[in-house]
Coordinates of all heavy atoms in Angstrom, one line a residue:
G321 N 18.5 33.8 96.5 CA 19.3 33.4 95.3 C 20.8 33.6 95.4 O 21.5 33.6 94.4
H370 N 21.0 39.4 74.2 CA 20.5 39.2 75.5 C 19.5 40.3 75.9 O 18.6 40.1 76.7 CB 21.6 39.1 76.5 CG 22.3 37.8 76.5 ND1 23.2 37.4 75.5 CD2 22.2 36.7 77.3 CE1 23.6 36.2 75.7 NE2 23.0 35.7 76.8
F374 N 16.9 37.6 76.3 CA 17.3 36.8 77.5 C 16.1 36.9 78.5 O 16.2 37.5 79.5 CB 18.6 37.4 78.1 CG 19.3 36.4 79.0 CD1 19.5 35.0 78.6 CD2 19.9 36.8 80.1 CE1 20.2 34.2 79.4 CE2 20.6 35.9 80.9 CZ 20.8 34.6 80.6
R389 N 7.8 31.2 87.1 CA 8.1 31.0 85.7 C 7.0 30.2 85.1 O 6.7 29.1 85.6 CB 9.4 30.3 85.6 CG 10.6 31.3 85.4 CD 11.9 30.6 85.4 NE 12.1 29.8 84.2 CZ 13.2 29.2 83.8 NH1 14.3 29.4 84.6 NH2 13.3 28.5 82.7
I420 N 16.0 38.7 82.3 CA 16.7 38.3 83.5 C 18.2 38.9 83.6 O 18.9 38.5 84.5 CB 16.7 36.8 83.8 CG1 17.3 36.0 82.6 CG2 15.3 36.3 84.0 CD1 17.5 34.5 82.9
G440 N 25.3 38.0 81.9 CA 24.3 36.9 82.1 C 24.8 35.6 81.7 O 24.3 34.5 82.1
E441 N 25.9 35.5 80.9 CA 26.7 34.3 80.6 C 28.1 34.7 80.4 O 28.4 35.9 80.0 CB 26.1 33.6 79.4 CG 26.2 34.5 78.1 CD 25.9 33.7 76.8 OE1 25.5 32.5 76.8 OE2 26.0 34.3 75.7
I442 N 29.1 33.8 80.8 CA 30.5 34.3 80.7 C 30.9 34.2 79.2 O 32.0 34.8 78.9 CB 31.4 33.4 81.6 CG1 31.3 31.9 81.1 CG2 31.0 33.5 83.0 CD1 32.4 31.1 81.8
T443 N 30.2 33.6 78.4 CA 30.5 33.4 77.0 C 31.0 34.6 76.2 O 31.9 34.5 75.4 CB 29.1 32.9 76.3 OG1 28.4 32.1 77.2 CG2 29.4 32.2 75.0
Q444 N 30.3 35.7 76.4 CA 30.6 36.9 75.6 C 32.0 37.4 75.8 O 32.6 38.0 74.9 CB 29.5 38.0 75.7 CG 28.1 37.5 75.3 CD 28.1 36.8 74.0 OE1 28.7 37.3 73.0 NE2 27.3 35.8 73.9
H447 N 34.0 35.6 73.2 CA 33.8 36.0 71.8 C 34.3 37.4 71.5 O 34.9 37.6 70.4 CB 32.3 35.9 71.4 CG 31.9 34.4 71.5 ND1 32.6 33.4 70.9 CD2 30.8 33.9 72.1 CE1 31.9 32.3 71.2 NE2 30.8 32.5 71.9
A471 N 28.6 34.5 86.7 CA 27.5 35.0 85.9 C 26.3 35.4 86.8 O 26.3 34.9 87.9 CB 27.1 34.0 84.9
F472 N 25.5 36.3 86.3 CA 24.4 36.8 87.2 C 23.1 36.7 86.4 O 23.0 37.1 85.2 CB 24.7 38.2 87.6 CG 26.0 38.4 88.3 CD1 27.2 38.5 87.5 CD2 26.1 38.4 89.6 CE1 28.4 38.6 88.2 CE2 27.3 38.5 90.3 CZ 28.5 38.6 89.5
R473 N 22.0 36.3 87.0 CA 20.7 36.3 86.4 C 19.6 36.7 87.4 O 19.6 36.1 88.5 CB 20.4 34.9 85.8 CG 21.3 34.6 84.7 CD 21.0 33.2 84.0 NE 22.1 33.0 83.0 CZ 22.2 31.9 82.3 NH1 21.3 30.9 82.4 NH2 23.2 31.7 81.5
N474 N 18.7 37.5 87.0 CA 17.7 37.9 87.9 C 16.6 36.9 87.8 O 15.5 37.1 87.3 CB 17.1 39.3 87.5 CG 16.2 39.9 88.6 OD1 16.1 39.3 89.6 ND2 15.6 41.0 88.3
E475 N 16.9 35.7 88.4 CA 16.0 34.5 88.3 C 14.7 34.9 88.9 O 14.6 35.4 90.0 CB 16.6 33.3 88.9 CG 17.8 32.8 88.2 CD 17.5 32.0 86.9 OE1 16.3 31.9 86.6 OE2 18.5 31.6 86.3
T477 N 12.4 32.7 90.1 CA 12.3 31.8 91.2 C 13.6 31.0 91.5 O 13.7 29.9 91.1 CB 11.2 30.7 91.0 OG1 11.3 30.2 89.7 CG2 9.8 31.3 91.1
P478 N 14.5 31.7 92.3 CA 15.7 30.9 92.7 C 15.2 29.7 93.6 O 14.3 29.9 94.4 CB 16.5 31.9 93.6 CG 15.9 33.2 93.3 CD 14.5 33.0 92.9
R479 N 15.7 28.5 93.4 CA 15.3 27.4 94.3 C 16.2 26.2 94.2 O 17.1 26.2 93.5 CB 13.8 27.0 94.0 CG 13.6 26.5 92.6 CD 12.1 26.1 92.5 NE 11.2 27.1 93.0 CZ 10.1 26.8 93.6 NH1 9.7 25.6 93.8 NH2 9.3 27.8 94.1
F481 N 18.2 25.0 96.7 CA 19.5 25.2 97.2 C 20.3 26.0 96.2 O 19.8 27.0 95.6 CB 20.1 23.9 97.6 CG 21.3 24.0 98.5 CD1 21.5 25.1 99.4 CD2 22.3 23.0 98.6 CE1 22.6 25.1 100.2 CE2 23.4 23.0 99.4 CZ 23.5 24.1 100.2
V482 N 21.5 25.6 95.8 CA 22.3 26.4 94.9 C 21.9 26.1 93.4 O 22.5 26.7 92.5 CB 23.8 26.1 95.1 CG1 24.3 26.6 96.5 CG2 24.2 24.6 94.9
F483 N 21.0 25.2 93.2 CA 20.6 24.8 91.8 C 20.3 26.0 90.9 O 20.8 26.1 89.8 CB 19.5 23.8 91.8 CG 19.0 23.5 90.4 CD1 19.7 22.5 89.7 CD2 17.9 24.1 89.9 CE1 19.3 22.3 88.4 CE2 17.5 23.9 88.6 CZ 18.2 22.9 87.8
R484 N 19.4 26.8 91.4 CA 19.0 28.0 90.6 C 19.3 29.2 91.5 O 18.5 29.6 92.4 CB 17.6 28.0 90.1 CG 17.4 29.0 89.0 CD 16.0 29.1 88.5 NE 15.4 27.8 88.1 CZ 14.2 27.4 88.4 NH1 13.3 28.2 89.0 NH2 13.7 26.2 88.0
S485 N 20.4 29.9 91.3 CA 20.8 31.1 92.1 C 20.8 32.3 91.2 O 20.6 32.2 90.0 CB 22.2 30.9 92.6 OG 22.4 29.6 93.1
R486 N 20.9 33.5 91.8 CA 21.0 34.7 91.0 C 22.4 35.1 90.7 O 22.7 35.8 89.8 CB 20.3 35.8 91.8 CG 18.8 35.6 91.7 CD 18.0 36.6 92.4 NE 16.6 36.6 92.0 CZ 15.6 36.9 92.8 NH1 15.8 37.3 94.1 NH2 14.3 36.8 92.4
E487 N 23.4 34.5 91.5 CA 24.8 34.7 91.2 C 25.4 33.3 91.2 O 25.2 32.5 92.2 CB 25.4 35.6 92.3 CG 26.9 35.6 92.2 CD 27.6 36.6 93.2 OE1 26.9 37.4 93.8 OE2 28.8 36.4 93.4
F488 N 26.1 32.9 90.2 CA 26.7 31.6 90.1 C 27.9 31.6 89.2 O 28.3 32.7 88.7 CB 25.7 30.6 89.6 CG 25.0 31.0 88.3 CD1 25.5 30.5 87.1 CD2 24.0 31.9 88.2 CE1 25.0 30.9 85.9 CE2 23.4 32.3 87.0 CZ 23.9 31.8 85.8
E489 N 28.6 30.5 89.1 CA 29.8 30.5 88.3 C 29.5 29.5 87.1 O 28.8 28.6 87.2 CB 31.0 30.0 89.1 CG 31.5 31.1 90.0 CD 32.9 30.7 90.6 OE1 33.9 30.8 90.0 OE2 32.8 30.2 91.7
Q490 N 30.2 29.8 86.0 CA 30.1 28.9 84.9 C 31.5 28.5 84.4 O 32.5 29.2 84.7 CB 29.5 29.6 83.7 CG 28.0 29.9 83.9 CD 27.3 30.5 82.7 OE1 27.8 31.5 82.1 NE2 26.2 30.0 82.3
M491 N 31.6 27.3 83.8 CA 32.8 26.8 83.2 C 32.5 26.5 81.8 O 31.7 25.6 81.5 CB 33.3 25.5 83.9 CG 33.2 25.5 85.5 SD 33.7 24.0 86.3 CE 32.3 23.0 86.1
E492 N 33.1 27.2 80.9 CA 32.7 27.1 79.5 C 33.8 26.9 78.6 O 34.9 27.4 78.8 CB 31.9 28.3 79.0 CG 30.6 28.5 79.6 CD 29.7 29.5 79.0 OE1 30.2 30.4 78.2 OE2 28.5 29.5 79.2
Q494 N 34.3 27.4 74.4 CA 33.8 27.8 73.0 C 34.8 27.2 72.0 O 36.0 27.6 72.0 CB 33.8 29.3 72.9 CG 33.1 30.1 74.0 CD 31.6 29.7 74.2 OE1 30.9 29.6 73.2 NE2 31.2 29.6 75.4
Y519 N 32.1 13.7 84.1 CA 31.3 13.3 85.3 C 31.6 11.9 85.7 O 31.7 11.6 86.9 CB 29.8 13.5 85.0 CG 29.3 14.9 84.9 CD1 29.3 15.5 83.6 CD2 29.0 15.7 86.0 CE1 29.0 16.9 83.5 CE2 28.6 17.0 85.8 CZ 28.6 17.6 84.6 OH 28.2 18.9 84.5
H534 N 17.2 19.4 73.5 CA 16.2 20.4 73.6 C 15.3 20.4 72.4 O 15.8 20.3 71.2 CB 16.9 21.8 73.6 CG 17.4 22.2 75.0 ND1 17.5 23.5 75.4 CD2 17.9 21.4 76.0 CE1 18.0 23.5 76.6 NE2 18.3 22.2 77.0
A540 N 17.8 28.3 73.4 CA 18.1 29.7 73.5 C 18.2 30.4 72.2 O 18.4 29.7 71.1 CB 19.4 29.9 74.3
Y542 N 20.4 31.8 70.6 CA 21.6 31.6 69.8 C 21.8 30.2 69.3 O 22.7 29.9 68.5 CB 22.8 32.1 70.6 CG 22.9 31.4 72.0 CD1 23.1 30.1 72.2 CD2 22.5 32.1 73.1 CE1 23.1 29.4 73.4 CE2 22.5 31.5 74.4 CZ 22.8 30.2 74.5 OH 22.8 29.6 75.7
D548 N 21.3 18.8 76.8 CA 21.7 18.9 78.2 C 22.3 17.6 78.7 O 21.8 16.5 78.3 CB 20.5 19.3 79.1 CG 20.1 20.8 78.9 OD1 20.9 21.5 78.4 OD2 19.0 21.1 79.4
I549 N 23.2 17.7 79.6 CA 23.5 16.5 80.5 C 22.7 16.8 81.7 O 22.7 17.8 82.3 CB 25.0 16.5 80.8 CG1 25.8 16.2 79.5 CG2 25.3 15.4 81.9 CD1 27.3 16.1 79.7
E559 N 18.9 19.8 84.8 CA 20.1 20.1 84.0 C 21.4 20.2 84.8 O 21.4 20.8 85.9 CB 19.8 21.5 83.3 CG 20.9 22.0 82.5 CD 20.5 23.4 82.0 OE1 19.3 23.8 82.1 OE2 21.4 24.1 81.4
A560 N 22.4 19.7 84.3 CA 23.8 19.9 84.9 C 24.5 20.9 84.0 O 25.1 21.9 84.5 CB 24.6 18.6 84.9
E561 N 24.4 20.7 82.7 CA 25.1 21.6 81.8 C 24.5 21.4 80.3 O 23.8 20.5 80.1 CB 26.6 21.4 81.8 CG 27.1 20.0 81.2 CD 28.6 20.0 81.1 OE1 29.2 19.6 82.1 OE2 29.1 20.3 80.0
G562 N 24.9 22.3 79.5 CA 24.4 22.3 78.1 C 25.6 22.2 77.1 O 26.7 22.8 77.3
I563 N 25.3 21.5 76.0 CA 26.3 21.6 74.8 C 25.5 22.2 73.7 O 24.4 21.8 73.3 CB 26.7 20.2 74.4 CG1 27.5 19.5 75.6 CG2 27.7 20.2 73.2 CD1 26.8 18.6 76.4
H564 N 26.0 23.3 73.2 CA 25.2 24.1 72.2 C 25.9 24.3 70.9 O 27.1 24.6 70.9 CB 24.9 25.5 72.8 CG 24.3 25.4 74.2 ND1 24.8 26.2 75.3 CD2 23.3 24.7 74.7 CE1 24.1 25.9 76.4 NE2 23.2 25.0 76.1
R566 N 26.2 27.0 68.4 CA 25.8 28.4 68.3 C 26.0 29.0 66.9 O 25.8 30.2 66.7 CB 26.7 29.3 69.3 CG 26.4 28.9 70.8 CD 27.3 29.7 71.8 NE 26.8 31.0 71.9 CZ 26.4 31.6 73.1 NH1 26.3 30.8 74.2 NH2 26.0 32.8 73.1
E599 N 29.7 25.0 71.8 CA 29.9 25.4 73.2 C 29.6 24.3 74.2 O 28.6 23.7 74.0 CB 29.1 26.7 73.5 CG 28.9 27.0 75.0 CD 27.8 28.0 75.2 OE1 26.6 27.8 75.1 OE2 28.2 29.2 75.5
T600 N 30.5 24.2 75.2 CA 30.0 23.4 76.4 C 29.9 24.4 77.5 O 30.9 25.1 77.8 CB 31.0 22.2 76.7 OG1 32.2 22.8 77.3 CG2 31.4 21.4 75.5
S601 N 28.8 24.4 78.2 CA 28.5 25.4 79.2 C 28.0 24.7 80.5 O 26.8 24.3 80.5 CB 27.5 26.4 78.7 OG 27.2 27.3 79.7
A602 N 28.9 24.6 81.5 CA 28.5 24.0 82.7 C 28.4 25.1 83.8 O 29.3 26.0 83.8 CB 29.5 23.0 83.1
G603 N 27.5 25.0 84.8 CA 27.6 25.8 86.0 C 28.7 25.1 86.8 O 29.2 24.0 86.5
V604 N 29.0 25.8 87.9 CA 29.9 25.2 88.9 C 29.0 24.6 90.0 O 29.2 23.5 90.5 CB 30.9 26.2 89.5 CG1 31.7 25.6 90.7 CG2 31.8 26.7 88.4
E605 N 28.0 25.4 90.4 CA 27.2 25.0 91.6 C 26.3 23.8 91.3 O 26.1 23.0 92.2 CB 26.3 26.2 92.0 CG 27.0 27.4 92.6 CD 27.8 28.2 91.5 OE1 27.6 28.0 90.3 OE2 28.5 29.2 91.9
R606 N 25.8 23.6 90.1 CA 24.9 22.5 89.9 C 25.7 21.2 89.9 O 25.4 20.3 90.7 CB 24.2 22.6 88.5 CG 23.1 23.6 88.6 CD 22.2 23.6 87.4 NE 21.4 24.8 87.5 CZ 20.5 25.2 86.6 NH1 20.4 24.5 85.5 NH2 19.8 26.3 86.8
P607 N 26.8 21.1 89.2 CA 27.7 19.9 89.4 C 28.1 19.7 90.8 O 28.1 18.6 91.3 CB 28.9 20.1 88.5 CG 28.4 21.0 87.4 CD 27.3 21.9 88.1
Y610 N 25.4 18.1 92.7 CA 25.2 16.8 92.2 C 26.3 15.8 92.8 O 26.0 14.7 93.2 CB 25.1 16.6 90.7 CG 24.0 17.5 90.1 CD1 24.1 17.8 88.7 CD2 22.9 17.8 90.8 CE1 23.0 18.6 88.1 CE2 21.9 18.6 90.2 CZ 22.0 19.0 88.9 OH 21.0 19.7 88.3
Ligands
GAP73 N1 26.6 30.2 77.5 C1 25.4 29.3 77.5 C2 24.7 29.3 78.8 O1 24.9 30.2 79.6 P1 22.8 28.1 80.0 O2 22.1 26.8 79.7 O3 21.9 29.3 80.2 O4 23.8 28.3 78.8 C3 24.7 27.0 81.3 O5 23.7 28.0 81.3 C4 24.8 26.4 82.7 O6 24.9 27.4 83.7 C5 23.6 25.6 83.1 O7 23.6 24.3 82.6 C6 23.8 25.6 84.6 O8 24.7 24.6 85.0 C7 24.3 26.9 84.9 N2 23.3 27.9 85.3 C8 22.5 28.6 84.5 N3 21.6 29.3 85.3 C9 21.9 29.1 86.5 C10 21.4 29.5 87.8 N4 20.4 30.4 87.9 N5 21.9 29.0 88.9 C11 22.9 28.1 88.9 N6 23.5 27.7 87.8 C12 23.0 28.1 86.6

Side-chain angles (χ1 to χ4, degrees):
H370 284 75
F374 199 42
R389 269 176 66 170
I420 60 172
E441 58 170 7
I442 62 169
T443 325
Q444 300 310 322
H447 296 312
F472 304 83
R473 296 183 186 177
N474 193 5
E475 294 286 358
T477 45
R479 60 176 49 212
F481 196 25
V482 296
F483 173 82
R484 197 185 307 139
S485 319
R486 286 180 167 149
E487 174 178 340
F488 54 96
E489 285 188 83
Q490 292 185 312
M491 311 180 283
E492 288 194 343
Q494 311 296 319
Y519 291 91
H534 278 211
Y542 50 73
D548 282 347
I549 292 180
E559 179 183 350
E561 67 173 90
I563 298 102
H564 311 130
R566 297 178 75 115
E599 163 189 74
T600 72
S601 177
V604 173
E605 290 76 4
R606 286 186 193 178
Y610 301 158

